[in-house]
Amino acid sequence: MNTFNAQPKPRVLFEAVPKEKIDELVRLVPSYKIINVNEDVHETEYDILVTFAYDAGTRAKHLHVLSFGAIMGTPSDKYLFDRKTETLANEVTISSGVQSPIAALLKKTVIPHIPEGPKNIWQVLFVEDREWQHVDTDDLRGQCSPLLHLGKEKFVYAYRNRRDGSKGGLQVALPEITREPAEWLRLFLDLVAEIDPVSVPPEAEWKTSERWSPPEVGGFIRAIQTVKDERERAMFEFHAREQALNGDLNLAVQRAEAGPGRLLTADGDALTAAVLEALQDLGFSAQDMDDHHDEKTGAKLEDLRVDDPSEPDWHCLAEVKGYTKGAKVNDVSQITGRPVAAFTKETGDYPSTVWHIVNTWRGKPPSTRPVAIPNDDDLRPVTDASGALIDTRDLFEAWRDVQDGKVGADAVRTSMRSSLTRWTYDPSLLQNQ
């Protein structure tokens, strides 16, 4: 048959491609046409559609379709694909059975860029008994091969399938956040060649094979392969380092939860122990008073007695409280009554100050917790006793910055000793001290 004006294959339609992407895409194929959404074209003279359009299902079903950000997929008389449903799920899984080249590209160009917040997921709507019934999980009841799942429910975020059962073109549907479309087109051409060598003929491959290339071409081929090998090695090394660091991080988190992290999570004896250790790390001399009072007074008084070796005449009584909700105003005066009287009777001296140390709303993230007892009038008992309320969040941040060397322990202790009504940690006021 004598056919004229035939273009070399694969013949590609580029639909609604962003201007900044078109040059890198068209250079990958021997013949192409750039079209707008809904633009008329004689589709049987083309093999592949690369589309950034809203609807990836309007073109002829023989076309192999690589879509970025489509909301509609290829329909049939029994079902309809759409991506109008949203999920807030953030966990992403590469679906089982995904080929390693596809998985590698998903890890590079899609997964790192998945946003938090609402994300559109694919569903298939079946016409059954004259009613629409939708499926939005797993493999959409066998209508696709998922590439990415979101959440434990296995919402479909990206997929591949045949557009008209086993007879239609291959379709790969990717979300709009996908990067490097040229790399996806290279891979897509390979996928199409496996199932449709007529549309993507293999005869062009020998032109870039090292065996049949002149020295200049062969040099570039070897250089490209070297870069690919180096990239693979680097990716492997980065992955190994990341895994090792994640292991170290998990161990560090566990140690923190059993150590200073208790300042933000614990109550009772565990919180008291954490406060005592933090104060000692800041250079205070702190003593748990439970055993002392059991032996000397037979009463439960202050939790801690705090001294500062740099100020021998300074003495502090501290009460430590943990709360699942906000601090109780009625607890404020506990440290100013009997504990102060017992200390005066025992030592013949009046304490320099008292501290009411609280860990409030301990089940919430620290940054979202309200101010503990925000009305200063409710702190009048500790104010009158030359004392202060201390939030364990402030104590933790001060302890951390001293450990990091950002502020000096002496400056923190001076700030705490001189506090009245409430102590708030402000590193900007201490860094030069």
Side-chain angles (χ1 to χ4, degrees):
M1 179 183 297
N2 294 323
T3 303
F4 301 93
N5 296 329
Q7 299 295 316
K9 295 186 175 185
R11 302 161 300 179
V12 180
L13 290 171
F14 290 105
E15 180 182 47
V17 177
K19 292 181 180 180
E20 68 274 12
K21 302 290 185 183
I22 194 66
D23 287 345
E24 62 180 347
L25 291 170
V26 299
R27 67 166 61 106
L28 299 178
V29 296
S31 56
Y32 62 88
K33 183 177 180 63
I34 300 172
I35 59 174
N36 298 317
V37 176
N38 299 326
E39 181 176 337
D40 291 335
V41 62
H42 198 69
E43 294 170 7
T44 57
E45 293 185 351
Y46 292 89
D47 310 293
I48 290 174
L49 171 67
V50 177
T51 180
F52 288 72
Y54 172 90
D55 192 341
T58 59
R59 301 291 179 178
K61 292 182 180 179
H62 79 278
L63 290 170
H64 303 285
V65 176
L66 173 61
S67 72
F68 298 91
I71 299 297
M72 303 292 292
T74 303
S76 76
D77 56 351
K78 296 182 179 180
Y79 61 81
L80 173 69
F81 275 94
D82 75 39
R83 198 167 67 96
K84 298 177 182 178
T85 302
E86 293 182 340
T87 181
L88 293 173
N90 288 319
E91 291 184 4
V92 58
T93 306
I94 296 178
S95 308
S96 60
V98 173
Q99 298 160 284
S100 56
I102 299 177
L105 208 48
L106 289 170
K107 291 178 183 177
K108 175 184 177 183
T109 67
V110 180
I111 292 176
H113 310 292
I114 296 176
E116 293 190 7
K119 291 169 280 292
N120 294 99
I121 56 173
W122 285 101
Q123 64 175 355
V124 61
L125 301 173
F126 289 96
V127 182
E128 296 181 354
D129 300 327
R130 298 183 179 180
E131 292 183 358
W132 286 103
Q133 299 181 8
H134 83 269
V135 179
D136 56 13
T137 57
D138 201 14
D139 62 356
L140 306 185
R141 204 192 294 173
Q143 298 306 311
C144 74
S145 297
L147 301 179
L148 289 176
H149 280 130
L150 290 177
K152 298 185 184 302
E153 298 84 354
K154 291 189 174 181
F155 296 121
V156 177
Y157 194 52
Y159 73 88
R160 63 180 288 183
N161 71 345
R162 298 297 290 268
R163 301 182 64 223
D164 189 20
S166 61
K167 298 177 290 185
L170 173 68
Q171 178 170 244
V172 172
L174 299 166
E176 60 278 358
I177 50 92
T178 304
R179 308 292 176 88
E180 306 295 340
E183 292 195 33
W184 277 104
L185 179 55
R186 288 191 185 94
L187 178 58
F188 189 69
L189 292 172
D190 292 339
L191 297 176
V192 174
E194 294 176 4
I195 62 173
D196 185 6
V198 174
S199 293
V200 182
E203 61 263 21
E205 295 179 0
W206 66 269
K207 296 179 182 179
T208 56
S209 68
E210 188 172 359
R211 180 177 180 183
W212 303 111
S213 298
E216 180 183 7
V217 175
F220 285 115
I221 293 171
R222 288 189 295 274
I224 290 172
Q225 187 58 50
T226 297
V227 171
K228 289 181 178 179
D229 292 342
E230 291 175 350
R231 181 178 62 192
E232 289 298 318
R233 286 194 296 271
M235 291 295 290
F236 177 81
E237 292 174 1
F238 281 126
H239 179 72
R241 288 168 56 189
E242 182 180 5
Q243 291 295 99
L245 287 170
N246 278 328
D248 293 341
L249 173 62
N250 290 333
L251 291 175
V253 169
Q254 293 173 14
R255 290 193 297 269
E257 288 176 345
R262 293 175 298 170
L263 288 170
L264 305 174
T265 61
D267 65 353
D269 291 342
L271 178 61
T272 300
V275 170
L276 183 145
E277 292 170 10
L279 292 173
Q280 289 176 337
D281 287 343
L282 292 173
F284 286 109
S285 174
Q287 178 184 358
D288 189 320
M289 297 304 292
D290 281 352
D291 290 343
H292 173 85
H293 287 309
D294 287 343
E295 179 181 346
K296 298 288 186 181
T297 66
K300 294 293 184 182
L301 300 172
E302 75 273 15
D303 290 315
L304 301 176
R305 191 168 293 179
V306 185
D307 298 308
D308 189 340
S310 65
E311 294 289 337
D313 295 330
W314 182 86
H315 307 287
C316 173
L317 307 183
E319 181 75 10
V320 181
K321 295 283 189 181
Y323 301 91
T324 55
K325 294 184 178 180
K328 297 177 180 179
V329 173
N330 290 340
D331 289 344
V332 173
S333 60
Q334 289 184 10
I335 191 61
T336 64
R338 293 177 62 207
V340 171
F343 178 87
T344 303
K345 180 178 179 181
E346 178 185 340
T347 65
D349 196 6
Y350 195 81
S352 306
T353 189
V354 295
W355 288 341
H356 185 53
I357 303 174
V358 296
N359 180 25
T360 62
W361 299 99
R362 57 191 181 85
K364 287 188 174 184
S367 59
T368 67
R369 299 177 188 178
V371 175
I373 310 181
N375 190 340
D376 286 354
D377 288 340
D378 292 329
L379 298 176
R380 176 60 59 184
V382 293
T383 302
D384 292 343
S386 300
L389 177 139
I390 296 176
D391 191 314
T392 56
R393 292 179 297 174
D394 291 291
L395 183 58
F396 175 86
E397 290 191 295
W399 171 87
R400 180 203 58 210
D401 287 354
V402 168
Q403 299 301 306
D404 285 344
K406 295 179 180 178
V407 299
D410 291 346
V412 173
R413 293 201 312 277
T414 299
S415 171
M416 295 178 71
R417 289 197 313 268
S418 61
S419 60
L420 185 65
T421 305
R422 71 177 69 241
W423 177 69
T424 302
Y425 173 63
D426 185 348
S428 66
L429 301 178
L430 303 180
Q431 288 171 345
N432 296 324
Q433 296 184 30

